[in-house]
Amino acid sequence: MAQHNDMGRWGEEQAARYLEAKGYGIMARNWRSGHRDIDIVAHRGGTVVFVEVKTRRSLSLAAPEQAVDARKVRSVVAAAGAFVRSRGIDADVRFDIITVTGEPGAGCDINHIEDAFMPMP
């Protein structure tokens, strides 16, 4: 498997652990709807949180959250809609980004951006 896939999987694991430590319950990881996916679906306090995780070894090129462009936002929102419908969820929803900077064996920095984006009408 490609090294970037391993890094991404590692970053998602760090993000899930972070969320659990903050009192979130994990509902799903790598949930797919067709070709769209959601990295983590979590919940806390009556809100379902759809989390896009971006992992980078360093911040030398650009902030990881900058990789979440308008196309990615549309994809995550569409997948979230499918998730809500498939589970019959009637709750508030939120879209967050978690960035993980570092690498296995060397630790990491985690930045949790709540309400990172809103669905476009």
Side-chain angles (χ1 to χ4, degrees):
M1 180 164 293
Q3 189 175 18
H4 71 276
N5 289 339
D6 291 340
M7 274 295 291
R9 199 170 17 262
W10 174 80
E12 288 174 13
E13 180 62 31
Q14 301 313 304
R17 288 180 184 175
Y18 166 87
L19 289 169
E20 289 174 328
K22 296 293 183 182
Y24 289 81
I26 304 298
M27 299 173 70
R29 290 179 58 184
N30 297 307
W31 190 84
R32 298 192 69 76
S33 175
H35 64 281
R36 296 180 172 105
D37 72 292
I38 301 169
D39 294 331
I40 300 172
V41 183
H43 66 90
R44 185 173 81 171
T47 300
V48 176
V49 183
F50 297 95
V51 182
E52 178 65 19
V53 179
K54 291 298 176 190
T55 306
R56 299 290 184 269
R57 290 186 191 284
S58 73
L59 297 175
S60 62
L61 296 177
E65 63 272 17
Q66 290 178 332
V68 183
D69 59 11
R71 181 174 171 229
K72 185 61 178 178
V73 167
R74 284 191 303 273
S75 178
V76 170
V77 168
F83 184 88
V84 166
R85 286 188 301 277
S86 74
R87 302 276 179 107
I89 293 172
D90 182 22
D92 291 334
V93 300
R94 188 176 82 211
F95 296 91
D96 293 1
I97 298 172
I98 293 182
T99 65
V100 179
T101 307
E103 53 188 291
C108 65
D109 290 318
I110 295 176
N111 183 26
H112 184 184
I113 305 165
E114 295 183 8
D115 282 317
F117 55 88
M118 299 295 291
M120 304 284 181

